[in-house]
Amino acid sequence: MTIGKRMYLSILTLFGVFAIFFIVFQQYREKEYKIETLNQRLQGFNVYMEEALGVDGHNNGKTMDEYVRKHGMPNLRVTVVDTLGRVLYDNLRKDYNNISNHRKRKEIREAIAKGHGYDINRVSNTIHGDFFYSATYFPKRNIIIRSALPYNNELSKSLRADQHFIWFALVVMIVLSLVLYQFIYSLNSNISKLRLFAQRADRGESLDTEDLVEFPDDELGEISESIIKIYIRLQKTKEEQNILKRQLTQNIAHELKTPVASIQGYLETILNNPSIKEETKAQFLDRCYAQSKRLASLLNDISMLNRMDDGSQMMEFEEVNVSMTITQIIKETALQLKEKNMKFINKAPKNIIIHGATSIIYSIFRNLTDNAIAYAGDGTTITLEAHKSAEDRWFFTFSDNGVGVDNKHLPRLFERFYRVDKGRSRKMGGTGLGLAIVKNGVLLHGGTIKAENAPQGGLKFEFSLAK
């Protein structure tokens, strides 16, 4: 039995038990109310009768008979009893000496003790038959007036609780059961499909089936659809990540192969030719050293990207003075700028403070600077501008007035190992990871970045960093 069916039967049983208890309780209350109403009516008759009889009226049987005939209800029996239980008057039987003592009758005892009392559905020993008795004690006269109605079918029906309430309760129960069934059916459908989804996901089976296409149109259905869509997206993302990892591994192997092969070739030449000239040997060793530096740069860049991929929890964040970092980079690259007759114009304000990772902030601006020095061209100018926004962010514009790049390359500039001119990039010692480090560093600091060709010529990078 599914959880939906168990829930339906449990709730239905609970509701049924509640309905039965409520109906019984309501029936009891309604019957008590009707009994109390009838008792109050008879009590009222007793009081009015006592008031109408005058001082000695209860001693005059004819007067009392006349009052009962005029003011009493059909089939009403009226009895007057003294505090010792002796019958002083009865409108239906006149042989008072033969009537048994009423002192122990329930309604009489209650009337003497409390001022009034009643008894229901008790057989009369005097005239035989079931009666409803209501007695009232009048201390000034020292008498109890008791009125009674035959407990026949008519009185029994009048005291019976209204049966329409039972039918109404049954109809309500049926309607609620149908509503509950619809709700449980929808719930059970969602749970069954989620269970099917979990089983197929656990076995690695396809989820693109008709069984998991549509869910009932309710909140749980929406949640179930969202769970499956999120899982499918995660699976696709995982597949894409696996593809990217394979591509990245291939690219890394390819990029490492070039400097390693060069180093190996130069060293084999030196080892296989002991008589090689010292000048040639020194030249080959210089080239080996240059390739080893390129290999170290490549490994450092890969390590940097891996650290950023692991997330901010792997980084130590602190207050970073970006202005000082930029000044430091300008000093470090001053010789390279001079060799290419380039200028670096820093228009950024002083004391730009950002909460971030010092090494990553440095890498962002250093890689942009190295990229511009390498590809902007001789005699060009690098310009850096910055301004603070109302959203607690710093916006930077890093541009040059060099040759720029073809528009078709712009969307892929931040891809790992992507090169606009592969041959030229390798000759200049680039790793192909600089702009990928820039983008990941910006994202790590809660910002965004884009690249475009500047209207006046050259390449422009616009990016933001959260303060």
Side-chain angles (χ1 to χ4, degrees):
M1 185 178 291
T2 63
I3 186 172
K5 290 181 180 179
R6 291 199 300 270
M7 184 180 295
Y8 175 74
L9 292 176
S10 299
I11 295 176
L12 194 62
T13 302
L14 183 64
F15 182 76
V17 171
F18 171 78
I20 291 172
F21 275 104
F22 183 77
I23 289 173
V24 171
F25 175 72
Q26 187 65 22
Q27 291 277 88
Y28 173 78
R29 282 191 60 189
E30 187 175 352
K31 185 176 180 180
E32 287 293 309
Y33 171 76
K34 290 185 175 181
I35 290 173
E36 183 61 27
T37 301
L38 179 59
N39 182 49
Q40 291 294 332
R41 186 179 175 187
L42 293 177
Q43 288 284 327
F45 173 83
N46 296 340
V47 172
Y48 291 140
M49 182 175 177
E50 190 273 337
E51 291 176 351
L53 293 179
V55 179
D56 298 319
H58 68 277
N59 295 322
N60 190 331
K62 291 183 178 181
T63 303
M64 297 180 73
D65 286 341
E66 184 65 19
Y67 182 85
V68 173
R69 186 178 63 82
K70 289 182 177 181
H71 302 284
M73 292 167 273
N75 302 318
L76 181 67
R77 179 189 177 190
V78 179
T79 307
V80 179
V81 182
D82 62 15
T83 54
L84 298 177
R86 295 173 299 187
V87 175
L88 305 178
Y89 166 79
D90 191 289
N91 67 321
L92 298 182
R93 185 173 175 181
K94 301 302 182 179
D95 52 339
Y96 306 142
N97 293 328
N98 295 325
I99 298 177
S100 61
N101 191 283
H102 284 35
R103 184 69 177 81
K104 295 183 179 180
R105 304 288 172 87
K106 178 177 177 294
E107 68 277 7
I108 302 298
R109 285 187 283 106
E110 287 184 0
I112 294 173
K114 302 177 183 179
H116 55 81
Y118 75 90
D119 193 9
I120 184 171
N121 197 16
R122 195 191 74 227
V123 178
S124 171
N125 295 325
T126 305
I127 59 174
H128 305 291
D130 296 336
F131 282 84
F132 181 95
Y133 299 97
S134 180
T136 309
Y137 177 47
F138 300 97
K140 291 182 179 181
R141 293 181 181 266
N142 219 20
I143 61 171
I144 298 101
I145 298 179
R146 186 190 69 180
S147 54
L149 286 173
Y151 200 85
N152 51 24
N153 289 336
E154 184 178 347
L155 182 60
S156 177
K157 288 180 180 179
S158 67
L159 295 179
R160 189 182 306 158
D162 189 0
Q163 302 298 314
H164 291 89
F165 177 79
I166 298 177
W167 293 110
F168 174 76
L170 290 175
V171 171
V172 171
M173 184 174 177
I174 292 172
V175 172
L176 290 178
S177 299
L178 293 175
V179 173
L180 178 63
Y181 176 79
Q182 290 295 324
F183 171 75
I184 295 298
Y185 176 81
S186 175
L187 176 66
N188 197 48
S189 177
N190 286 322
I191 293 175
S192 298
K193 289 189 176 183
L194 278 176
R195 181 184 180 188
L196 180 63
F197 155 73
Q199 291 174 343
R200 291 182 178 175
D202 183 52
R203 293 194 294 263
E205 298 177 358
S206 174
L207 302 177
D208 298 327
T209 61
E210 293 183 358
D211 296 337
L212 301 175
V213 172
E214 293 185 359
F215 282 82
D217 187 17
D218 55 27
E219 291 84 353
L220 185 58
E222 292 178 4
I223 295 172
S224 302
E225 285 184 354
S226 298
I227 291 174
I228 293 179
K229 288 178 181 177
I230 291 171
Y231 178 82
I232 293 175
R233 280 201 301 271
L234 289 175
Q235 290 297 100
K236 290 181 178 178
T237 302
K238 188 176 180 181
E239 293 175 4
E240 292 172 357
Q241 287 177 342
N242 290 334
I243 294 173
L244 289 174
K245 285 181 179 179
R246 286 195 295 270
Q247 291 176 347
L248 182 60
T249 302
Q250 293 171 358
N251 289 334
I252 291 174
H254 180 72
E255 293 295 330
L256 291 174
K257 187 185 298 182
T258 302
V260 169
S262 296
I263 294 170
Q264 186 178 5
Y266 289 129
L267 292 177
E268 284 180 354
T269 302
I270 293 173
L271 292 173
N272 293 333
N273 296 279
S275 59
I276 193 171
K277 295 180 180 180
E278 290 299 324
E279 182 181 350
T280 304
K281 183 188 293 186
Q283 184 181 5
F284 284 178
L285 289 174
D286 284 341
R287 291 178 181 177
C288 284
Y289 179 66
Q291 290 296 331
S292 68
K293 284 178 66 178
R294 183 187 168 201
L295 187 60
S297 297
L298 181 61
L299 293 174
N300 286 334
D301 287 348
I302 292 173
S303 176
M304 177 73 73
L305 283 170
N306 285 336
R307 286 171 61 201
M308 286 190 284
D309 286 342
D310 289 336
S312 58
Q313 64 272 18
M314 303 296 293
M315 303 288 180
E316 183 177 348
F317 275 53
E318 57 187 355
E319 298 299 316
V320 182
N321 191 318
V322 179
S323 302
M324 291 180 61
T325 301
I326 295 169
T327 302
Q328 177 187 347
I329 292 171
I330 294 174
K331 289 179 181 180
E332 292 173 353
T333 57
L335 184 58
Q336 296 169 269
L337 291 167
K338 186 177 181 180
E339 288 175 353
K340 290 203 168 189
N341 196 27
M342 296 177 68
K343 294 181 181 179
F344 194 121
I345 300 175
N346 181 16
K347 296 182 179 181
K350 295 181 180 180
N351 294 322
I352 299 175
I353 306 297
I354 286 178
H355 185 72
T358 303
S359 60
I360 304 299
I361 296 293
Y362 175 86
S363 296
I364 292 172
F365 290 95
R366 181 59 192 259
N367 278 291
L368 288 173
T369 303
D370 289 343
N371 187 75
I373 293 172
Y375 305 112
D378 294 350
T380 56
T381 301
I382 301 170
T383 305
L384 176 64
E385 298 175 294
H387 68 276
K388 186 168 60 174
S389 72
E391 291 124 11
D392 221 16
R393 287 176 176 271
W394 278 100
F395 285 87
F396 299 88
T397 302
F398 191 100
S399 61
D400 62 67
N401 59 351
V403 296
V405 298
D406 196 315
N407 287 331
K408 68 180 182 180
H409 296 295
L410 290 174
R412 301 189 63 187
L413 280 182
F414 299 106
E415 290 182 14
R416 300 178 185 189
F417 299 111
Y418 184 78
R419 291 182 171 91
V420 175
D421 186 343
K422 297 182 180 179
R424 185 184 173 203
S425 297
R426 288 198 175 92
K427 285 181 182 178
M428 301 185 73
T431 63
L433 295 173
L435 292 182
I437 291 174
V438 171
K439 180 180 179 180
N440 281 29
V442 169
L443 294 176
L444 187 66
H445 288 82
T448 58
I449 187 170
K450 66 177 182 178
E452 60 185 13
N453 286 311
Q456 70 276 12
L459 190 61
K460 179 172 67 173
F461 295 91
E462 292 180 341
F463 61 98
S464 64
L465 298 173
K467 287 180 64 179

